[in-house]
Amino acid sequence: MVAQTSGNLFGAIATSSPVSTFFRKASTVAVPSGVATTSPIQTNNFWGNLTLGDQTSYVYTHPYAVWMSTLSKFKGLAVSDQDASQRVFGSDNSEKAASYFYMPAGNKCVVLGSSDFEKGMSIKMANLAKLSAEVKLQSAKAGYLSCHLVQGMGFISGVYYDLIPEVHSGIGIKSVSGATSPRTGTNKYTIVLNDGRVWSMYVNFTDNQTCSFALKDNYHIIGSNSINNCSIQLARDKFSSYDSAAGCFPTAVTLKASVSGSTGTYSFNYTTQGSSNKGTSLIYALPHQIESFTSSTSSKKTAATLLDTVHGEMTGYLTNVFEMSESLPTSIGIDPWSSISGWSKPSYTTDEMSKIKAAALIDAAADVYTASNSDSMYFSGKVLDKYAYVLYVLYYVVKDESASKAFLKKMKTAIERFSNNKQTYPLCYETNWKGICSTGGMADGDTSLDYGNAFYNDHHFHYGYHIHAAALTAVVDKALGGSWYKDIKDWVNTMVRDVANPNESDTYFPVFRSFDWFIGHSFAHGITVYADGKDEESSSEDYNFSYAMKIWAQVIGDTNMEDRANLMLAISKRSIGTYMLYNQSNTVMPSKFIGNFVSGIKFENKIDHTTYFGTNVEYIHGIHMLPITPVSSFIRTPEFVKEEWETGPLANLVGSVDSGWKGILYLNSALYKPTLAYQFFISGFQDKWLDDGLTKTWALAYSAGVRQ
């Protein structure tokens, strides 16, 4: 496997076997034959569909969609790229915006194939890495086609080994014509499809080989003879920059990063094959990347642009390095924090302190051990975390040491049920794909139990709550002279490794299971096939994991882990603030959709303004809010929250909500108008308006703490 990270920032957390409390168990989902299993396999990654089921579902490399086509006469690696006019929008919803939109992914615009595949074709997956993978399509009687998948690649490139090349189109081919060759050893063709759209084809020869191409029929372009170690590259449209890059394509990516003070720099460093006039390939960049490019990368911009599936317009760059810079949230810790202009630090009046203390003493009387005794890692984590915030308030806000010590004991006992793996459904180390999974639903394949944790769904959501609860409890314990964090360190670190292992020398977990460094946020979906690609429903529980990792890193003194967490948060702010949270000035997302203010469920090929658990408006908006933490205001800016509340549906909706979502909506309003939130929680408040992951104690402490 090609190295994906380098530098101290990505040093391994640990390389030892997961602690023995996680017993070993194999998933009912087997790894398909032909998928290389020498290293842990990515479960939530962009190329995941090619390792699942019959391995024919779509993979989104952005801007292209690719898949293995097994249809007779169209066998090979199929490619789709669509225009804005082909977007499909759902009817307007109650928020007067399109209820969903997607790109039709199944159009076989072009297919890299071979006449030899008609005698039989099989797939192998090799060189599986976080940011790349190699697809090998093997002929039954001849050679094979090798295609490297890399996010942002400008060409779909295939290297032919002892095959007669053939390019198909399910749309139909109007014409294919030779064009001026950009360089010696490369032949260029222009393909016009029946829908009028144009594709460019480059054929790159080695060892003085030749092969001419002609239209076989309305759907196939056939090569005159077998070729070996020669490549064909296909790209949508006919930009001049394609000529500069033809002959060179990326095969792998190394992620590098460094931190200096509150500035983080990270880069994608592309390993390439072949050569070109420019000495580089062409890589398409997403809008959020372009905003953060350093000058060295910005200068490589071309006129090539293609529309992505759900991320707006991508722009081509002639470069082998994408370098980006971000401002890190280094000032955010465990105290209430706000990005409201003029706010500096939390402070409380005597009256506020009295109300917070009264609420804290009531919440501290809870039986945390029983309350957290759930068959769900998700819900138990939420309960533990909400009470960890109560412990924080008792010690740091109320400053009641006696009450803090008593409640600390309760918290440690409750958390130790999980660190000792004695919960209803214990966690195991799953040995097929390699990771820490719930055993709930694993034996009978029930993906609905605990949101499919056993199948690698939502690990960053679930474990983020547990990690933060343990971290905040350990903070108070250390302040009181304890060293309890040492007892739970291996357990917490193992959860961090499962979700965000930073280094391939840790051979027990894939690198960064959840976080997609190219897209800029995590994906929640695991090892079941989704035709629209990986997805995520809760942006807030995504960055809650990074925040939890940051606080835990402070507890154990791991500055590299803290830097990584800060960098992930900074990237998430930019990405989520572009593709999932919509200021009404957003020009990246479709104008028909930004009136929803939030994405709902974001797939790689579709955004659906709904949730997996219901269509209520408060659900759709609230799942992108909870939990409200010190880092919330960093991602959910006051400007966005104000628009969502006042221009969007929330101000008119909140009065009719009579559930725990009401408390979530009002605490979220503290991100732009803290007094509104604080008054709600002190005036006629009812406990039924508390979400199961929220206490009145934290709601008062946060909303009062960020008031100016």
Side-chain angles (χ1 to χ4, degrees), residues 282-571:
L282 183 137
I283 312 294
Y284 277 102
L286 291 168
H288 82 279
Q289 296 167 340
I290 294 170
E291 290 178 353
S292 60
F293 275 158
T294 62
S295 58
S296 62
T297 300
S298 294
S299 64
K300 309 298 174 55
K301 182 180 179 180
T302 74
T305 59
L306 289 177
L307 187 69
D308 189 42
T309 51
V310 294
H311 300 102
E313 187 175 78
M314 299 184 74
T315 302
Y317 287 74
L318 285 168
T319 182
N320 290 336
V321 178
F322 273 6
E323 184 180 66
M324 292 144 283
S325 180
E326 294 287 1
S327 296
L328 308 182
T330 53
S331 63
I332 300 175
I334 61 174
D335 299 326
W337 186 90
S338 177
S339 59
I340 295 173
S341 178
W343 182 86
S344 58
K345 62 181 180 179
S347 61
Y348 302 95
T349 66
T350 302
D351 183 63
E352 289 168 346
M353 189 68 77
S354 175
K355 288 181 170 59
I356 293 168
K357 183 173 182 177
L361 291 176
I362 291 172
D363 284 331
D367 181 353
V368 183
Y369 187 80
T370 299
S372 60
N373 185 21
S374 168
D375 61 1
S376 164
M377 283 297 291
Y378 178 67
F379 286 110
S380 61
K382 289 184 68 170
V383 170
L384 290 172
D385 204 21
K386 77 174 181 179
Y387 285 117
Y389 278 109
V390 173
L391 177 61
Y392 160 82
V393 171
L394 282 171
Y395 186 76
Y396 286 101
V397 179
V398 175
K399 302 185 188 306
D400 187 328
E401 186 168 317
S402 177
S404 298
K405 287 180 177 179
F407 197 60
L408 172 63
K409 184 177 180 180
K410 286 185 178 183
M411 284 300 303
K412 290 195 289 188
T413 300
I415 290 171
E416 284 166 0
R417 168 194 279 122
F418 296 89
S419 65
N420 292 324
N421 211 22
K422 300 296 185 183
Q423 64 267 38
T424 304
Y425 289 118
L427 300 180
C428 69
Y429 178 73
E430 193 282 308
T431 55
N432 283 354
W433 304 83
K434 297 182 173 58
I436 301 299
C437 291
S438 171
T439 50
M442 181 175 286
D444 58 5
D446 184 356
T447 58
S448 66
L449 193 61
D450 206 6
Y451 302 99
N453 181 296
F455 303 92
Y456 293 99
N457 290 358
D458 299 356
H459 281 200
H460 57 317
F461 297 164
H462 299 188
Y463 301 159
Y465 283 111
H466 285 267
I467 292 165
H468 183 263
L472 208 50
T473 302
V475 166
V476 175
D477 180 73
K478 284 181 75 173
L480 289 168
S483 57
W484 176 73
Y485 76 94
K486 295 179 181 179
D487 298 336
I488 61 165
K489 182 177 179 180
D490 286 344
W491 170 68
V492 176
N493 274 352
T494 301
M495 289 189 291
V496 175
R497 290 166 65 189
D498 175 79
V499 176
N501 164 34
N503 195 286
E504 287 171 335
S505 65
D506 182 353
T507 59
Y508 293 95
F509 301 94
V511 171
F512 292 108
R513 182 188 307 282
S514 300
F515 193 74
D516 188 311
W517 288 84
F518 191 85
I519 302 299
H521 62 74
S522 298
F523 285 111
H525 190 75
I527 53 174
T528 55
V529 175
Y530 269 11
D532 284 310
K534 300 301 181 182
D535 75 288
E536 178 152 274
E537 179 180 43
S538 175
S539 58
S540 48
E541 289 175 312
D542 177 354
Y543 56 76
N544 186 58
F545 171 84
S546 300
Y547 174 64
M549 185 169 75
K550 168 189 170 85
I551 302 304
W552 174 248
Q554 292 175 348
V555 169
I556 62 175
D558 188 334
T559 56
N560 287 328
M561 184 188 291
E562 184 176 0
D563 287 342
R564 287 195 303 276
N566 278 328
L567 182 57
M568 290 164 67
L569 285 168
I571 297 169

Side-chain angles (χ1 to χ4, degrees), residues 1-6 129-132 252-256 504 511:
M1 184 185 293
V2 178
Q4 294 299 293
T5 57
S6 64
K130 176 64 182 176
L131 299 168
S132 62
V253 191
T254 299
L255 173 66
K256 297 182 179 180
E504 287 171 335
V511 171

